[in-house]
């Protein structure tokens, strides 16, 4: 999604802004720009493409200023070109604005402004904002901003500067995240923590409807009507794990390789013997959870796949009926939810607009919400009744890997914790599951040690145009996740199916050019999976099997076999996804794709 930064202080604003934008590159973008006030004049520098192009342009056309705002744009309205890049400004170039979100009523506003004589240079929704500022400005910038936001519908995080007020930045937050960093004789704004982390550890998390007036020595907050409000200063706790590739070629590979440590970290923080410890369950105390009779999980993308696995965990260990919804569907289906329903929202970023909307829908029906999140200070984290921090550290690669594994481990521990409250689990069985969980990091390490073999297989099939992933039972979500990983970073069309469903139509896709990745580790459904593999083989499909060490039978039906250590059936998704992550990674690298920032994608989709 778009990235916003801002600076006011004594340093060179352009340098601070560019470093901040670089730290937000992981969010995905297609153009970038900054606006500064130099000698009382508004100066704009923006370019299509990556930040290095803007950097080169600034070397040619430098600016000298101590106040500015910057933006990386992920196009929603209008092509990803120079004109549509932010910042946007009014016809007299007195106001500059950067925006993350969507102004849903921009067309009406644009029509009104054109009738009043304002002319537009871009196709963006954002451009209505500087023209509205010019329309309502009567000498007081804050008052003008309040009048403008009263006209806006949709979601917006805004950074605003004006030539009339070279000593302040105004920020607004409604629906898209914005954080203010507090420094010594300097202050900052950013869409996300990584852009601030090397500058300050003191921050303010803006809430929806907040307006902030930021000078170099002061930060004031107003509500959307202009009344003074207070926001608490917070200290950034996250470990600076996500910044820097630690010698790997890409963040994604680094994050894949981090997964054993991530699981060990969760175990060290959440398991004391066989006791499971959660710290932010707040209102979701044991008495409340003991009364829950139904669970709805809602999430998007990879997090939705984690939810599909989570359903197996909760129904197996707590014997509670669990439904799994895609967030963008859940929020509009007027779900039947009663008082004893628990909503679980899964979101790595904690800013996904659809998932946030789902939470608000549930809360409007007085349903308690547990969020499983990688950022407890995120909007989703702060609007939930309880949070389960997956503790994966900042995930920079757009394609989610370590967060997925951390979500699965967190869901597993929650399901066992929940099952204990429901008295549906015997302690011996729990002990076996938790013991096996502690063995998974080493088992994952043994799979990662095979990465060169997996790389060879990946490169062999990197020219495929279509790839199918098949899985059954606990691993049909794994098949979905493997397909998403491949398509989102290699741009190959890939689809995951429940293997039993494949013969009901999709098998028509098979011919000698289609690799089919079959998750056929030794679980109860293994014989059924072998039948599905044979059905594909009979139609000349290329079979890449994910199998259990020691299984020699599967070789008879496979073109390639990737062997994994044995584990308990229901925990196998935690192992089976690892080779699929590596297959996707190496195929994308072989195809020369931008692995960490794939085209068209954003790390956090904060618009509908
Ligand atoms: C995962 O690889 C994708 N980048 C994407 O599907 C992601 O999982 C989805 O947008 C949900 O994001 P969230 O977990 O931050 O809510």
């Amino acid at each position: 999604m778009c990235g916003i930064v801002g600076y006011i202080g004594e340093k060179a604003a352009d340098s601070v802004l560019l470093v901040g934008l670089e730290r937000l590159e992981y969010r995905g973008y297609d153009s970038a720009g900054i606006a500064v006030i130099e000698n009382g004049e508004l100066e704009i520098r923006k370019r299509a493409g990556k930040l290095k192009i803007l950097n080169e342009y600034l070397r040619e056309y430098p600016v000298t200023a101590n106040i500015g705002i910057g933006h990386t744009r992920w196009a929603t309205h209008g092509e990803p070109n120079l004109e549509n890049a932010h910042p946007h400004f009014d016809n007299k170039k007195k106001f500059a604005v950067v925006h993350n979100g969507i102004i849903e009523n921009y067309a009406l506003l644009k029509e009104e402004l054109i009738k009043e004589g304002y002319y537009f240079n871009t196709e963006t929704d954002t451009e209505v904002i500087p023209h509205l500022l010019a329309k309502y400005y009567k000498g007081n910038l804050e008052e003008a901003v309040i009048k403008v936001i009263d006209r806006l519908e949709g979601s917006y995080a805004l950074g605003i500067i004006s030539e009339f007020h070279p000593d302040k930045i105004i920020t607004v937050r409604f629906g898209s995240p914005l954080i203010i960093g507090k420094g010594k004789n300097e202050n900052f704004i950013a869409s996300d923590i990584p852009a601030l982390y090397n500058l300050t550890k003191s921050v303010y998390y803006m809430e929806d409807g907040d307006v902030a007036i930021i000078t170099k020595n002061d930060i004031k907050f107003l509500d959307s009507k202009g009344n003074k409000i207070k926001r608490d200063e917070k200290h950034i706790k996250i470990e600076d794990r996500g910044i820097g590739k630690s010698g790997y070629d890409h963040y994604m590979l680094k994050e894949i390789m981090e997964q054993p440590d991530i699981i060990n970290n969760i175990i060290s923080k959440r398991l004391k013997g066989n006791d499971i410890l959660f710290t932010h369950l707040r209102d979701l105390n044991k008495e409340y959870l003991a009364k829950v009779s139904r669970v709805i999980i809602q999430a998007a993308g990879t997090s939705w796949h984690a939810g599909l696995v989570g359903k197996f965990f909760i129904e197996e260990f707590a014997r509670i009926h669990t439904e799994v919804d895609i967030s963008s569907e859940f929020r509009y289906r007027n779900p039947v939810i009663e008082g004893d329903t628990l909503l679980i929202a899964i979101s790595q970023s904690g800013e996904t607009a659809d998932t946030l909307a789902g939470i608000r829908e549930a809360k409007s029906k007085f349903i308690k919400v547990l969020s499983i999140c990688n950022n407890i200070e995120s909007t989703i984290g702060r609007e939930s009744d309880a949070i389960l921090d997956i503790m994966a550290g900042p995930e920079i690669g757009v394609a989610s890997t370590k967060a997925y594994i951390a979500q699965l481990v967190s869901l597993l521990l929650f399901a066992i914790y929940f099952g204990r409250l429901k008295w549906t689990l015997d302690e011996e069985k729990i002990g076996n599951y938790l013991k096996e969980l502690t063995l998974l990091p080493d088992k994952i390490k043994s799979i990662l040690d095979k990465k060169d073999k997996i790389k060879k297989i990946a490169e062999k099939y990197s020219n495929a145009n279509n790839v199918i992933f098949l899985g059954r039972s606990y691993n049909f979500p794994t098949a979905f996740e493997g397909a998403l990983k491949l398509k989102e970073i290699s741009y190959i069309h890939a689809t995951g199916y429940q293997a039993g469903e494949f013969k009901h139509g999709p098998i028509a896709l098979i011919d000698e050019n289609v690799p089919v990745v079959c998750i056929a580790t030794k679980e109860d459904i293994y014989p059924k999976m072998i039948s599905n593999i044979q059905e594909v083989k009979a139609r000349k499909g290329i079979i890449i099997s994910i199998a259990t060490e020691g299984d020699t039978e599967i070789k008879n039906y496979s073109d390639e076999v990737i062997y994994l250590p044995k584990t308990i059936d229901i925990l196998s998704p935690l192992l089976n996804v690892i080779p699929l992550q590596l297959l996707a990674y190496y195929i994308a690298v072989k195809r020369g794709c931008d692995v960490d920032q794939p085209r068209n994608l954003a790390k956090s989709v904060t618009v509908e």
Side-chain angles (χ1 to χ4, degrees), residues 300-303 346-352 355 380 398-401 407 481 484-485 488 601-605:
T302 288
S303 298
I346 305 174
S347 176
Q348 185 285 131
S349 63
E351 300 299 344
T352 298
T355 308
I380 286 175
V398 166
S400 187
T401 50
Q407 288 167 345
E481 175 60 11
L484 176 60
K485 285 288 96 50
E488 71 175 328
L601 296 188
K603 181 62 183 170
S604 170
V605 185

Side-chain angles (χ1 to χ4, degrees), residues 167-226:
D167 62 341
K168 65 174 80 168
I169 299 174
I170 308 273
T171 58
V172 182
R173 188 233 139 108
F174 193 83
S176 296
L178 206 54
I179 304 164
I180 299 169
K182 183 175 176 235
K184 194 169 173 353
N185 302 323
E186 60 183 9
N187 288 312
F188 315 85
I189 66 171
S191 301
D192 199 359
I193 290 291
L196 294 173
Y197 196 70
N198 63 327
L199 298 166
T200 179
K201 301 291 186 292
S202 297
V203 295
Y204 294 87
Y205 292 93
M206 293 184 75
E207 303 281 350
D208 274 358
D210 285 3
V211 175
I213 301 109
I214 303 153
T215 63
K216 76 176 189 175
N217 292 308
D218 188 33
I219 301 167
K220 284 195 182 66
F221 292 95
L222 306 175
D223 66 17
S224 56
K225 298 300 174 212

Side-chain angles (χ1 to χ4, degrees), residues 307-327:
L308 293 170
V309 178
K311 169 184 168 78
F312 285 110
F313 291 158
I314 294 171
E315 293 191 342
E316 172 76 18
F317 298 133
R319 306 307 299 155
I320 294 289
H321 173 70
T322 302
E323 295 164 53
V324 187
D325 273 88
I326 285 181
S327 305

